[in-house]
Every structure is written in structure tokens, then in C-alpha cells.
Amino acid sequence: MIRKVGMKIISIRCIAQDTFEMILENNFISNYAVPGQFLHLQVGEHSLRRPISITDCDPSRSTVTIIFKINGQGTRELSAYQVGQYLNVLGPMGNGFPLHANSTALLIGGGIGVPPLYYLGKTLREMGCTIISVLGFQDKNHVFYENEFKNLGKNFIVTNNGSYGESGLVTDVINHVHHFDYYYSCGPIPMLRAVSQELKERRGYISIEERMGCGVGACYACVVPTKDGTNYKKICKDGPVFVAGEVKL
Amino acid sequence: MTRLTTELPGLALKNPIMPASGCFGFGREYSDFYDLGKLGAVIMKAATGNERLGNPTPRVAETSSGMLNAIGLQNPGVDKIIANEVPFLAQFDTKIIANIAGSTLEEYEYVAQAFNQTNKVHALELNISCPNVKEGGIQFGTDPTMASRVTEVVKKASNLPVYVKLSPNVTDIVSIAKAVEAAGADGLSMINTLTGMQIHLPSRRPIIANKTGGLSGPAIKPVAVRMIYEVSKQVQIPIIGMGGIKNAEDVLEFLLAGASAVAVGTANFQNPFVCSEIINELPQVLDKYGFNSVQDAIGKGIVA
């Protein structure tokens, strides 16, 4: 169930180049959001809300963590919000990742697609899963949450220019990881395309983003064609998580 | 009869507020937020003869005080809408207006006949103004002769009152309005979006895959108010006004300009409760500006 709530900003900090972590307080969202869901944030007077995925939830403190990257005017203004201010939020939005207890999960994230995988990994870990994460970033300055993912299990960092961790693309690393039951991937479309091609024999889930309107499934803005191209899925309502191979990237 | 009621052909409305076509789907999503029976009416997303998949993405882009969209009339086709969507909306104590689109006269005729047979739809909104598809009706909306021809066909195809949705992308909207009035339109719905474009600087490409899209939101409100004002002085049929309405004061402005009811579009995306909130606020706004009722305010703008 989606509600419109006010979320108080508890902290905001820059964690990598143009990348901010914000901790928000709200009892309802922190209790009900599941890994893979997102918040639809109202920034200033902008006509459209900003969909931002959930990085973590802590019901004991009523907090929800988000991570966003400055990518335009809206996210730039969001980064200037101060502790104590309230954000007008719709959430939790969309469907989360299917969770398989006691399995081995390979998490594959790219850039600003990394954040939802943290809440996922933490939740799976609590369900007895073994976590392996492969996280790709542009370069050293864009890397974030390395320690957080290391606390969940084996972790590989990949940078395009090799300035930190392995050099290249996430697909260069996942080739060497064979022992897992499910993969979970979020990142730019070209990365998701390469990952789902590379792992087409394996079971997995992908989470995708698109310019969004209403966020609730009414406006038909954020659609993605199904595999056979004869229909569309709504990313905001049917997704943002899809079974790998279900939609055409 | 209460102070919010308004009466248009086929539409005795409990209040003048309805969500605009294309901004509310078929109501399901918003029924999770409030009782749709609170609304004066619901205008459904456009129906075409067969299913349409719409345009490639991105389909939306934010602009200053508004947004561009080029969805491209994605819809499951009129038969599926009648089978799956109309019964859902019919559960609520509200009026249902079906927006109909097509690429040929025959397609408009087919869709109008289909809705006529349901006995659950109270009026048709004739979409001759979608700017986002090559064959989606705007060719009928920018020429008075074509506009009156399609209006005649749809009037003949059904017994339902027909509200013709006008395009603002014309030189002389009054001549189109008069043409469709003469062709038998029961009312007008205005305005549809204004064609616009936005270029993404890093890639030097239009943000919207369709290149151009329809501009909506508060940015177009003054254009809508001006056009409704001009048209309402020249026709006898009532107008459902729309274009950037966000609150009850905007509603009063449209009533003063000459609208008999209003539709709220883009504002639903920012605030899914907006129609419900406007209905709550409208009595206080009427009080504030000295009107007893919605009826009292229609066409009462003073332009010396």
C-alpha cells in the first residue's frame, strides 16, 4: 500500500563524487518497504517527483536510507536539503526482489544501481543466504559502500579505468563467479543487457529505471517492452524488478 | 442541488471536478488513494479501435512549470476497455466519460458505437487533438471541415452526448469550436496539450524519443484560460476546461473564464490526492471570493 508521508531528514552526507546518502525518518515506510522498492520524492516545486530506490531500512529507529547521484536540477536541489527538513514522499513504490532463503546470491550493481542491492543483501543475509557482490563504478572517486558490502560477504569492486579494484566491467568479473543460485542486478541498461546475456542460463532478477511520471501505473510513461515485443510492462507498477529475460532491454 | 453541482448535457455532476484523460488511467491506481465516488466524473484514457502499444521511451520530460509527454495513445483497445475497465469504474457513484481516438472516421465510429452499447458510459470526449501520434486524430482537430465531419460521424454513431476536445495548436480555435458546434457537438473540452520540445544538452538530442511531446501543467494555464474565455463568448455549448489546474483557486479561474466544469491532469502525478483535495477546498474558495455556488461563478469573469 502506497501512502503520502512526510519524511524528516536525519542526516545527509556526500559519500562519493556527486553521490549523497540521506537518512530519512518515517515509521510506516521503514516498517513496510521491502528490498527493491523505491520512494517517489517531491523536490521543491518540480512538476514531477523523483524516483529514488531504497538503500536500507531500520524499523527499530524508524529510518530509511537513500543514495542518489546529482544528475540534473532536481537531484542537485535535493542534495542541498538540510537536516531537520521534511520531504514529501509517496511510498513504498513498486515491487521488490523475490527472496530465496538459504541460497547463494550474486549481487551485480553498476553506479547508482548499487544502492537497492544493499538492503537486498542485508535482508538475504538475515535469511541465511551467502552473499557475493560485484559492484562497478566509473572510477575511484565514484566508489561507495565498499565496507557495507564487505560486511555482507565476498565483494569485488570494478572500475572502468582500473583506478580502484579490478579494471573493466562487472561482466569481466562475474565470468569467474560460478557458485551461486540466483543473481540480482541493478544498473544502467547496457550493463543489465550484458549481464543478462552473460548469465542467460542462470536464474536471476533485474531492476530497471526510466523517466517516470505518476509512479503508480496510471500514466504509461515508464514502460518496457516484454521479451516478445507484443506488449509493455509498467516499470513503476509491474517492476522495477523483473525476472531476467521477462522484458526486452 | 448543492452549491458544487453543475449541469452539462448528459452530465448532472455532484461537483465540477474530474481527472483529465490520460492522467488517471482507468481509475484503478487512484482508487487506492480515495473513493472515486467523490469525483464529479472520470475521463478515461483514450480508447482506439484496436490495441495500441504507444511510443518508445523516454515518453516524458519535466519542463519549467510543466512536463512534456508523448505516450502515443497506448491502450488495450475499446473492446478490452469495455470488458475490463468500464465495469470497475461503474462500481463508483460517479459519471464516466470515454475519450475516443482514431486514425480514420470508421475507427471513431466503431469506438463510439461500442461505448454507446455499454449503457455504463455517460458521455464521449472526442479526441481530435492528440499531438503525439501520426494518425491519432490531430489531423481532424486542426481543420474546421475535418473537425465537423468527425463530430457528425460520432454523433450519428451513438446517443451519448459528445464533447469535442480541442487542440490549442491552431491559429484560430474559435473557428474550430464553431464548426464542431454546428456539426452537433454537445460540449467542448479544452485545451489539449501544446506541442513542445526539449533538448538534452550532453547528448544534443531531444529528451523524448518521439522528439516532440505535448506540454501540460501550470505552464499552459494562461493559454487555456484565454482560449476558454474567447470560445465561451462565441458558442452556446458548455465547456469542460483544463490546462494546468492544481488547486481550487485555479478551478474558480476556469469557471470565471467560462468553463462549466474542469478536468485536472498533470497535477495528479505530483499529488495523487489532488482531485479529492480540490473538492474539499472548493466551498471555502467560493466563500472567499463571494460566490454562492459553482453555477454562480460560470462565465462571471469581468473583462471590460
Side-chain angles (χ1 to χ4, degrees), chain A residues 1-4 40 42 44-50 88 90 210-214 216-224 229-232 234 237, chain B residues 22-26 29-30 33 45 51 53-63 65-67 71 74 200 207 246 269-273 277:
Chain A
M1 181 189 164
I2 298 166
R3 281 197 196 160
K4 188 168 83 166
H40 216 19
Q42 180 63 41
E45 293 296 309
H46 283 272
S47 319
L48 295 176
R49 289 172 178 265
R50 269 47 181 182
N88 168 333
L90 284 178
E210 178 55 81
R211 283 177 185 269
M212 218 171 255
C214 66
V216 300
C219 77
Y220 296 63
C222 62
V223 297
V224 58
T230 61
N231 211 335
Y232 277 112
K234 297 172 185 173
K237 196 182 183 197
Chain B
C23 300
F24 208 73
F26 301 97
E29 293 79 13
Y30 290 93
F33 293 106
K45 184 165 174 54
E51 179 182 31
L53 291 179
N55 292 325
T57 59
R59 293 176 168 188
V60 291
E62 188 176 76
T63 68
S65 299
M67 63 177 280
I71 307 297
Q74 182 183 343
H200 181 242
I207 292 179
K246 279 187 80 166
F269 302 160
Q270 193 185 73
N271 176 11
F273 297 95
E277 289 174 6

Side-chain angles (χ1 to χ4, degrees), chain A residues 35 107 116-126 131 149 152:
Chain A
L107 312 183
L117 299 180
Y118 180 67
Y119 186 26
L120 172 69
K122 202 179 99 171
T123 307
L124 287 173
R125 178 81 196 264
E126 285 162 7
I131 309 296
F149 277 90
L152 300 176

Side-chain angles (χ1 to χ4, degrees), chain B residues 72-148:
Chain B
L73 295 180
Q74 182 183 343
N75 79 97
V78 66
D79 296 333
K80 280 192 184 151
I81 291 170
I82 289 169
N84 304 326
E85 308 296 345
V86 172
F88 173 80
L89 273 177
Q91 302 170 74
F92 299 96
D93 177 25
T94 190
K95 304 290 182 190
I96 303 173
I97 303 174
N99 181 294
I100 67 173
S103 48
T104 61
L105 286 172
E106 291 72 25
E107 187 175 4
Y108 278 104
E109 186 177 32
Y110 175 78
V111 178
Q113 278 170 349
F115 279 122
N116 187 47
Q117 286 161 12
T118 63
N119 294 321
K120 286 178 180 152
V121 167
H122 302 92
L124 300 177
E125 180 176 61
L126 179 53
N127 186 349
I128 55 168
S129 43
C130 176
N132 297 326
V133 290
K134 286 190 192 74
E135 297 184 328
I138 201 163
Q139 71 274 25
F140 294 105
T142 48
D143 174 71
T145 312
M146 294 281 277
S148 67

